[in-house]
Amino acid sequence: MTIRLEDLLASFRRHLRAAPKAPRTIELYNQSVVYFSGWLTDRGRQPLLDELTLHAISAWLAELAETNGPTPSEQRSGPGRRPEPAPGPPCRPHQGRRATPEQDEAK
């Protein structure tokens, strides 16, 4: 059975609303499916569920990265590295029981 990605979008959007996902998230996911479908079409492939494979998605994402350059996170930290944590006071490991509000006031 041939299922077009376009035909699955309404169901996918309903699923995301029930999740519940934010309206902007739903729109971004929708755009991703539309853009992926266009990418398939540009390569002479039909935007079908059968084309939704790890290999095809990886190729699409790799091409996006080459075309659009590094992500904002990669621009800050370099490719393959995690961004540096935000400056602030160092975190102390939790030791023992936490104080109650009354114990905090007694200090």
Side-chain angles (χ1 to χ4, degrees):
M1 179 176 187
T2 303
I3 301 172
R4 296 174 354 158
L5 294 177
E6 180 181 321
D7 295 338
L8 293 175
L9 272 178
S11 174
F12 184 47
R13 289 174 71 91
R14 276 193 305 276
H15 166 76
L16 293 171
R17 280 193 301 272
K21 298 291 182 187
R24 181 70 180 139
T25 299
I26 295 170
E27 186 56 36
L28 289 172
Y29 287 4
N30 183 78
Q31 286 177 348
S32 294
V33 173
V34 170
Y35 294 154
F36 178 71
S37 296
W39 180 83
L40 288 170
T41 301
D42 291 346
R43 276 138 199 83
R45 296 160 68 180
Q46 294 186 16
L48 303 175
L49 183 59
D50 291 342
E51 292 285 349
L52 192 60
T53 64
L54 180 59
H55 178 75
I57 294 169
S58 295
W60 175 57
L61 292 174
E63 189 172 310
L64 285 177
E66 290 170 10
T67 304
N68 297 328
T71 66
S73 174
E74 290 172 336
Q75 289 173 354
R76 288 189 301 274
S77 64
R81 291 183 27 210
R82 296 184 71 170
E84 293 295 322
C91 295
R92 294 183 300 162
H94 176 65
Q95 298 176 357
R97 254 182 50 201
R98 295 193 139 193
T100 66
E102 295 81 24
Q103 289 171 325
D104 280 343
E105 289 176 7
K107 288 183 181 180

